[in-house]
Coordinates of all heavy atoms in Angstrom, one line a residue:
N241 N 9.2 -20.8 55.8 CA 8.8 -19.8 54.7 C 8.8 -18.4 55.2 O 9.1 -17.5 54.5 CB 7.4 -20.2 54.3 CG 7.4 -21.3 53.3 OD1 7.9 -21.2 52.2 ND2 6.7 -22.5 53.7
A242 N 8.5 -18.2 56.5 CA 8.5 -16.9 57.1 C 9.9 -16.2 57.0 O 10.0 -15.0 56.9 CB 8.0 -16.9 58.5
E243 N 10.9 -17.0 57.0 CA 12.3 -16.5 56.8 C 12.4 -15.8 55.5 O 13.0 -14.7 55.3 CB 13.3 -17.6 57.0 CG 14.7 -17.1 57.2 CD 15.8 -18.2 57.3 OE1 15.6 -19.3 56.8 OE2 16.8 -17.9 57.9
F244 N 11.9 -16.4 54.4 CA 11.9 -15.8 53.1 C 11.0 -14.5 53.1 O 11.4 -13.5 52.5 CB 11.3 -16.8 52.1 CG 12.1 -17.9 51.7 CD1 11.7 -19.2 51.8 CD2 13.4 -17.7 51.1 CE1 12.4 -20.3 51.4 CE2 14.1 -18.8 50.7 CZ 13.7 -20.1 50.8
V245 N 9.9 -14.6 53.7 CA 9.0 -13.4 53.7 C 9.7 -12.2 54.4 O 9.7 -11.1 53.9 CB 7.7 -13.7 54.4 CG1 6.8 -12.4 54.5 CG2 6.9 -14.8 53.6
A246 N 10.3 -12.5 55.5 CA 11.0 -11.5 56.3 C 12.1 -10.8 55.5 O 12.3 -9.6 55.5 CB 11.6 -12.0 57.6
R247 N 12.9 -11.7 54.7 CA 13.9 -11.1 53.9 C 13.3 -10.2 52.8 O 13.9 -9.1 52.6 CB 14.8 -12.2 53.2 CG 15.8 -11.6 52.2 CD 16.8 -12.6 51.8 NE 16.3 -13.8 51.1 CZ 17.0 -14.9 50.8 NH1 18.2 -15.0 51.1 NH2 16.4 -15.9 50.1
A248 N 12.3 -10.7 52.1 CA 11.7 -9.8 51.1 C 11.2 -8.5 51.7 O 11.4 -7.4 51.1 CB 10.5 -10.6 50.5
G249 N 10.6 -8.6 52.9 CA 10.2 -7.4 53.6 C 11.3 -6.4 53.8 O 11.2 -5.2 53.6
R250 N 12.5 -6.9 54.3 CA 13.6 -6.0 54.5 C 14.1 -5.4 53.2 O 14.4 -4.2 53.2 CB 14.8 -6.9 55.1 CG 14.6 -7.3 56.5 CD 15.9 -7.7 57.2 NE 16.5 -8.8 56.5 CZ 16.2 -10.1 56.7 NH1 15.3 -10.5 57.5 NH2 16.9 -11.1 56.0
L251 N 14.1 -6.1 52.1 CA 14.5 -5.5 50.8 C 13.6 -4.5 50.4 O 14.0 -3.4 49.8 CB 14.6 -6.6 49.8 CG 15.7 -7.7 50.0 CD1 15.7 -8.7 48.9 CD2 17.1 -7.1 50.2
I252 N 12.3 -4.7 50.6 CA 11.3 -3.7 50.2 C 11.5 -2.4 50.9 O 11.5 -1.3 50.4 CB 9.9 -4.2 50.4 CG1 9.5 -5.3 49.4 CG2 8.8 -3.1 50.4 CD1 8.3 -6.2 49.8
R253 N 11.7 -2.5 52.2 CA 12.0 -1.3 53.0 C 13.3 -0.6 52.7 O 13.4 0.6 52.7 CB 11.9 -1.6 54.5 CG 10.4 -1.8 55.0 CD 10.3 -1.9 56.5 NE 11.0 -3.1 57.0 CZ 10.4 -4.3 57.2 NH1 9.1 -4.4 57.1 NH2 11.0 -5.3 57.6
E254 N 14.3 -1.4 52.3 CA 15.6 -0.8 51.9 C 15.5 0.1 50.7 O 16.3 1.0 50.5 CB 16.6 -1.9 51.7 CG 17.2 -2.6 52.9 CD 18.1 -1.6 53.7 OE1 18.7 -0.7 53.1 OE2 18.2 -1.8 54.9

Side-chain angles (χ1 to χ4, degrees):
N241 280 300
E243 193 180 25
F244 285 123
V245 174
R247 174 167 63 188
R250 287 195 302 276
L251 297 180
I252 290 166
R253 283 189 294 264
E254 282 292 333

